[in-house]
Amino acid sequence: MDLPLTPVLEHYGIFFEPIMQHGRWTTILCPVHEEDRPSARTNGYGLMCHACGFKGDAIALARRKEDLDYAGALRFLEGVYGRSLDQVQREHQGIARREVPHRRTRTHRRNHRTTSPRVRRRPLSGT
Ligand SMILES: [Zn+2]
């Protein structure tokens, strides 16, 4: 499951700029162990900590922090996101799909530019 990690990190009081590019890693404070200097890294979906050795996704983080089993972690995450995990995933896929019509609009506008400006001139009448 590709669950966004940002809302879960915010739940534990860790805020960082949302990562738009998939696969880009940012250094953050580790939510698993208490620390002052960031030693964990996230790409928005996975988390890795050099200090305590934690490695995992939103589900693994919830299990570790809340001491839950897999099913319990899923229920806990639904509470964090405020909706079902199916819904979270569907929204996530929707963001990727929404970029396509935007590109089409730009091409559409370009095609309309070929209208000749000469049409505007009115022929002189009565002479
Ligand atoms: Zn850690």
Side-chain angles (χ1 to χ4, degrees):
M1 254 193 256
D2 256 3
L3 293 169
L5 198 60
T6 316
V8 187
L9 291 171
E10 286 179 359
H11 177 80
Y12 293 121
I14 289 159
F15 297 88
F16 68 102
E17 276 183 49
I19 297 140
M20 303 314 286
Q21 286 166 279
H22 188 92
R24 206 180 131 199
W25 292 78
T26 301
T27 305
I28 58 157
L29 284 167
C30 177
V32 179
H33 77 279
E34 302 295 316
E35 64 175 6
D36 298 325
R37 266 178 250 156
S39 51
R41 299 206 306 150
T42 182
N43 63 353
Y45 302 96
L47 178 75
M48 272 165 72
C49 179
H50 305 294
C52 69
F54 177 85
K55 203 170 159 186
D57 58 4
I59 297 164
L61 179 62
R63 289 185 67 172
R64 169 69 79 89
K65 288 289 283 183
E66 308 299 319
D67 195 25
L68 293 163
D69 59 11
Y70 185 81
L74 295 185
R75 242 175 292 133
F76 169 80
L77 287 173
E78 291 194 336
V80 171
Y81 295 125
R83 48 200 183 278
S84 76
L85 298 185
D86 279 349
Q87 183 76 30
V88 173
Q89 288 217 291
R90 228 174 292 137
E91 282 168 22
H92 186 68
Q93 285 159 1
I95 291 161
R97 235 179 277 135
R98 230 173 284 150
E99 284 173 31
V100 180
H102 181 76
R103 237 176 268 144
R104 251 182 227 148
T105 314
R106 219 186 284 158
T107 322
H108 186 73
R109 216 180 288 147
R110 201 180 295 146
N111 289 345
H112 271 253
R113 230 184 275 154
T114 51
T115 317
S116 172
R118 265 179 228 157
V119 178
R120 258 186 274 146
R121 239 182 234 177
R122 271 196 210 153
L124 294 167
S125 57
T127 39

